[in-house]
Amino acid sequence: IHRGTLEGLEAARAVVEGREGGEIRALHIELDPARTKRLKEKWNSLVMPHLGHLDISLDIVPSPYRWLVQPVLAYLDSLDAVRQDHRIVVLLAEFETGSFWTQLLHNQSTLGLRKALFNRPNVTIITNRFFLKPSVRAKGALAAENSKG
């Protein structure tokens, strides 16, 4: 859990806010069960104090074969069975690294999920970009703003 997680949850809040019956669920695909306890502790100490009023559930789906796409699709199937004909909005976090090459390295999971979800009925995909460091444009704007001062 990091700043990008909190930003993604805040973006989800903005999408759901004011919609009757809307709910936010965070999904963790468990690749290593030993790390799940620590994740739950971080969730309770970092997320709940800031966003606990939103009643966000942390759903954990085990993936013993370390797959990512298949467990997500199965999870969405189970949601779809319970909430038939409801729109499911999937918010995918995408790291903006500032470099073309590192961008390719860090967002492969997001690309695979997007491809798998693209033609799925009742699913809308939203990308929440998380900037690891300020972009050149942002640095220039900040420098220009500081020089006015």
Side-chain angles (χ1 to χ4, degrees):
I1 294 177
H2 47 71
R3 188 174 50 116
T5 305
L6 296 176
E7 287 182 14
L9 291 169
E10 184 61 30
R13 182 211 49 83
V15 170
V16 170
E17 195 169 59
R19 297 179 191 262
E20 189 174 324
E23 63 180 304
I24 301 172
R25 295 175 180 226
L27 177 63
H28 172 69
I29 303 300
E30 181 182 70
L31 303 177
D32 181 359
R35 299 177 91 182
T36 299
K37 181 181 178 192
R38 184 165 179 237
L39 173 76
K40 288 178 182 178
E41 290 169 356
K42 281 184 156 188
W43 179 265
N44 290 327
S45 66
L46 298 174
V47 174
M48 296 312 288
H50 300 287
L51 300 171
H53 63 284
L54 297 175
D55 193 30
I56 303 170
S57 66
L58 173 61
D59 297 339
I60 297 171
V61 175
S63 181
Y65 299 110
R66 302 185 58 83
W67 294 340
L68 179 65
V69 174
Q70 293 85 347
V72 170
L73 294 177
Y75 176 82
L76 292 175
D77 287 341
S78 68
L79 284 181
D80 210 22
V82 173
R83 299 177 58 113
Q84 294 177 355
D85 300 323
H86 279 78
R87 170 82 30 206
I88 297 173
V89 177
V90 177
L91 191 135
L92 298 173
E94 185 171 285
F95 296 102
E96 181 59 53
T97 62
S99 161
F100 172 77
W101 297 109
T102 55
Q103 186 76 12
L104 285 175
L105 292 172
H106 285 285
N107 291 307
Q108 293 304 309
S109 298
T110 302
L111 292 172
L113 279 170
R114 181 183 313 287
K115 184 178 176 183
L117 297 172
F118 190 72
N119 290 318
R120 196 175 171 94
N122 296 329
V123 171
T124 299
I125 306 163
I126 297 176
T127 300
N128 186 59
R129 294 173 64 203
F130 168 61
F131 292 86
L132 295 177
K133 58 184 177 181
S135 66
V136 173
R137 189 178 317 170
K139 286 179 186 176
L142 183 61
E145 185 65 32
N146 288 338
S147 68
K148 290 180 185 177

